[in-house]
Amino acid sequence: MFLDLESYSGYQTYLLEQPARLVVDLYGVKGDPPPMLEVDSPVLSSIRASRFDDQTLRVVCDLKAPTGYQVLPAPGGGIAIDFNYQLYSLALEDQDGSLLLSIEMSAAPEVQATYLESPLRLVLDFQDTTLLTRSFDTPVNLGPIVRWRVGQHSPAVTRVVLELAEPLASLPVEERAAGSFVLPFFPGTAAEAAAYLRAQQHAQEEPEELGAELLPTGEGVLSGLVIAVDPGHGGSDPGTIGYQGTFEKDVNLAISLYLGELLSEAGAKVIYTRDTDVYVSIFQRPEIAMEAGADLFVSVHANSHIERGRARGTETLYRAGDPASELFARIVQEELVKAITLIDRRIWGREDLAVFNGSNIPAVLVEVGFLDHPDEEVLLRASGFQKVAAQGIFNGIVRFCLENKR
Amino acid sequence: MKRERILAGLLLAALAVLAVRAIVGWPAHNGDAVPVALDVTEPFYPVYFSSRDTGLLEPEFHQGSATIEQVLADLLAGPKLEHLAGVIPADTVVLGYRLSGETLYVSFSHHLVTNHPGGSTGEILTVYAIVNSLTGIDGVERVQILVENQVVDTLAGHLNLQRALRKDYSALGSQVL
Ligand SMILES: [Zn+2]
């Protein structure tokens, strides 16, 4: 709020409750008071001015709730009053395995995150914010969070401190509804969270680029194609197992289902060799694809080295001696690495993989990352990363189909 | 026969690398005599392990004439060079073998499957360490891996093990060659 005054000799402010209002008495101001102003703001509802005495103009700001403020005399005359945003409530939530902080606030928060070690903690400073709930300090047991403290750190900053057992990073705040926001957490360090965000951005930019080029008629770019999506392992065969106990079969299925959704949206007919946690023999999988008349075969896996934790990165295997499969692998690998930004290991022609044996359509087996590497396991088990991986593979399929003119 | 010549060339290059390393002096594993001071005028044979430098297969050369029993024992015993890692899962034993024509059938205990970490990379390293090592023996062209005396579909869910496999040098690190 800015009070445009030609001259004044001083001011005094009072924050009053019930109803919440800020009173500003301006001394040495003459003239008639301006009319009342209705305001559509997250903080203010109206501004009234009246003459208190012949030397003093009283300005009353009706607030939606009591809040912090700063009075800033402007160098060119007049007074600016900055009201803090109001933080009504905070809650930590676990939504389908993803941790987030849900925030009820008068406007989108500006959060400054600081990660501190010994003890491990994540400090979230809400800028220009007044906390309207009571401060608290309480133990919790939510993923890596063992305790959290919330309080008004300074007149303009509300501080949230999360004590951690393992690294945790904050992701950008998202708006869910008017006045309702969430701050998602990423299970990893800030650097890993940044890599994850970059990957997500890639994935979001890519389809737009392609979409503009590919969909001149609005028709599905993959319509008419039958694509076999093969989530590796399943049922009694868990595949490789990560340090945190992540089963490869679950990662493979999650990425495959996301991939299938994207392919369907683009008009393809999707054939899953499995779409639940069941055992399907590796010899049956290409048969399922061939019986359905599939044009392409994509097997989705997560890798492991014989020496656990040694290797990392992405590789795509293809049917050796088949130029179409090799081109398919090259493009899928390129797009997937672009999307998830893991190390680009190689594409590798193999004639001994069972899923390549039973068909002659372009066939690849994608090893998205190494589940036996602790850093990559963190990524592979995160649904956000799984979606980005699916998007990367999808982009590769679309590009291959275009470059091959079907 | 061109392929044979290329392989011989590669082998000599590998020997040159080993010779240099031998001069530098490699610490021995378990205090064993390290067979890096290889006498190339006497017989020697390669046993394949996983390189900690490249993550790929790399041969360790042993002095003597390769026999099926000796190569299998070498594979199970693991590498002597410190920069190499074993490729056979813990507790695995060989239950028996049979040479039929040029195809060698080797039966391993179930630990080969149940103690294997998995992954196509892990599976390819284990399988081709076995196949490449055993096909270095005269008269062995193909190797079929059996588990508990049975033909199996696969070791870790990627490779087709229903048939015998030939040697594959694509799992070898180019750094070795
Ligand atoms: Zn797998």
Side-chain angles (χ1 to χ4, degrees):
Chain A
M1 180 181 81
F2 186 75
L3 302 170
D4 190 6
L5 304 165
E6 271 178 29
S7 72
Y8 65 99
S9 57
Y11 64 86
Q12 177 92 51
T13 59
Y14 318 87
L15 186 64
L16 303 172
E17 292 186 23
Q18 290 171 345
R21 60 208 191 276
L22 177 73
V23 177
V24 186
D25 281 344
L26 299 159
Y27 306 126
V29 178
K30 299 202 185 275
D32 289 332
M36 176 171 155
L37 203 60
E38 294 283 345
V39 190
D40 183 23
S41 128
V43 182
L44 287 170
S45 54
S46 64
I47 302 169
R48 299 172 277 143
S50 60
R51 187 141 284 291
F52 182 71
D53 57 34
D54 64 339
Q55 283 300 311
T56 311
L57 187 73
R58 172 164 287 184
V59 179
V60 178
C61 309
D62 291 306
L63 303 173
K64 290 183 177 162
T67 191
Y69 62 94
Q70 270 182 293
V71 181
L72 307 159
I79 295 176
I81 298 176
D82 274 358
F83 292 99
N84 284 351
Y85 299 117
Q86 295 147 345
L87 183 47
Y88 304 113
S89 77
L90 286 169
L92 286 171
E93 286 170 28
D94 184 341
Q95 277 188 4
D96 310 323
S98 302
L99 274 188
L100 52 85
L101 178 66
S102 83
I103 305 159
E104 303 288 324
M105 201 162 153
S106 59
E110 193 191 314
V111 182
Q112 222 171 60
T114 315
Y115 183 71
L116 297 165
E117 286 175 20
S118 61
L120 214 55
R121 59 206 193 278
L122 181 66
V123 178
L124 303 171
D125 279 341
F126 288 68
Q127 307 296 314
D128 302 321
T129 301
T130 297
L131 179 67
L132 296 186
T133 64
R134 283 184 21 227
S135 303
F136 58 87
D137 180 356
T138 180
V140 283
N141 179 17
L142 205 60
I145 307 174
V146 294
R147 187 178 191 91
W148 72 314
R149 280 193 292 285
V150 176
Q152 193 67 27
H153 175 67
S154 71
V157 175
T158 301
R159 175 167 283 184
V160 176
V161 180
L162 304 173
E163 286 186 20
L164 305 170
E166 283 167 54
L168 190 72
S170 62
L171 295 173
V173 171
E174 298 162 12
E175 181 161 15
R176 283 280 164 89
S180 175
F181 305 87
V182 294
L183 183 150
F185 292 109
F186 182 85
T189 63
E192 285 164 352
Y196 163 78
L197 283 176
R198 273 201 306 279
Q200 260 200 335
Q201 255 169 8
H202 270 302
Q204 278 165 3
E205 283 160 14
E206 221 44 48
E208 274 175 32
E209 256 172 52
L210 286 168
E213 187 189 331
L214 302 182
L215 300 169
T217 61
E219 193 197 0
V221 63
L222 298 177
S223 63
L225 282 175
V226 181
I227 300 177
V229 176
D230 174 41
H233 312 279
S236 58
D237 172 13
T240 191
I241 302 174
Y243 281 95
Q244 297 182 44
T246 314
F247 286 165
E248 183 195 341
K249 63 176 182 177
D250 297 331
V251 173
N252 299 345
L253 182 59
I255 296 173
S256 296
L257 292 177
Y258 290 133
L259 173 61
E261 263 174 53
L262 294 170
L263 293 170
S264 299
E265 280 167 22
K269 182 179 174 196
V270 177
I271 303 298
Y272 293 106
T273 55
R274 69 176 179 101
D275 58 4
T276 55
D277 184 16
V278 291
Y279 178 80
V280 179
S281 128
I282 48 176
F283 297 98
Q284 234 179 310
R285 293 167 188 250
E287 282 173 19
I288 294 170
M290 290 316 277
E291 271 166 28
D295 299 297
L296 297 172
F297 184 91
V298 182
S299 192
V300 178
H301 286 252
N303 214 342
S304 171
H305 197 269
I306 185 76
E307 257 198 290
R308 287 172 59 81
R310 176 149 296 268
R312 47 193 311 174
T314 303
E315 63 183 62
T316 301
L317 312 183
Y318 63 92
R319 183 189 300 109
D322 173 13
S325 290
E326 183 176 351
L327 178 65
F328 189 22
R330 195 176 300 287
I331 294 174
V332 165
Q333 171 78 0
E334 209 176 289
E335 292 298 327
L336 178 57
V337 168
K338 204 192 281 182
I340 61 178
T341 66
L342 295 185
I343 292 167
D344 183 359
R345 279 170 67 85
R346 61 182 157 189
I347 63 166
W348 200 5
R350 305 288 320 173
E351 48 196 26
D352 47 8
L353 295 191
V355 291
F356 296 161
N357 293 157
S359 80
N360 53 7
I361 55 176
V364 294
L365 185 150
V366 181
E367 291 281 7
V368 176
F370 276 82
L371 194 58
D372 63 332
H373 193 288
D375 293 354
E376 295 196 356
E377 181 185 15
V378 166
L379 295 173
L380 286 163
R381 54 186 282 142
S383 62
F385 180 87
Q386 293 165 353
K387 285 179 190 164
V388 176
Q391 183 75 53
I393 299 168
F394 170 77
N395 292 346
I397 293 170
V398 171
R399 237 188 80 196
F400 174 74
C401 291
L402 277 181
E403 288 180 18
N404 246 16
K405 298 213 160 53
R406 301 195 177 179
Chain B
M1 284 301 99
K2 195 179 169 207
R3 189 186 169 95
E4 295 288 0
R5 254 207 319 279
I6 293 170
L7 287 178
L10 297 178
L11 218 67
L12 281 176
L15 282 176
V17 171
L18 280 175
V20 172
R21 284 179 177 171
I23 292 162
V24 175
W26 239 327
H29 188 248
N30 293 338
D32 289 346
V34 177
V36 283
L38 205 62
D39 181 352
V40 292
T41 63
E42 293 294 315
F44 63 92
Y45 61 95
V47 185
Y48 289 85
F49 297 105
S50 168
S51 164
R52 295 204 158 112
D53 302 335
T54 65
L56 298 161
L57 289 181
E58 185 176 319
E60 179 178 86
F61 293 94
H62 292 204
Q63 198 86 59
S65 297
T67 64
I68 295 167
E69 230 151 279
Q70 186 57 49
V71 171
L72 285 170
D74 292 342
L75 280 167
L76 294 186
K80 294 178 174 157
L81 298 175
E82 277 209 333
H83 78 292
L84 299 179
V87 288
I88 309 295
D91 304 330
T92 304
V93 294
V94 172
L95 302 176
Y97 62 86
R98 176 169 54 88
L99 186 63
S100 167
E102 293 185 314
T103 302
L104 177 65
Y105 296 84
V106 185
S107 178
F108 293 90
S109 65
H110 68 85
H111 307 94
L112 186 74
V113 172
T114 50
N115 288 348
H116 195 277
S120 64
T121 297
E123 185 177 15
I124 289 169
L125 288 173
T126 297
V127 166
Y128 285 96
I130 295 169
V131 172
N132 288 356
S133 299
L134 290 167
T135 49
I137 300 166
D138 277 347
V140 179
E141 277 298 308
R142 288 173 297 275
V143 176
Q144 178 150 7
I145 294 170
L146 308 176
V147 176
E148 301 287 337
N149 302 319
Q150 302 285 320
V151 172
V152 288
D153 287 353
T154 185
L155 196 166
H158 314 92
L159 292 180
N160 175 1
L161 294 191
Q162 287 185 345
R163 58 191 186 186
L165 299 170
R166 291 174 181 277
K167 68 181 70 168
D168 177 357
Y169 288 109
S170 71
L172 260 66
S174 55
Q175 289 88 336
V176 179
L177 302 178

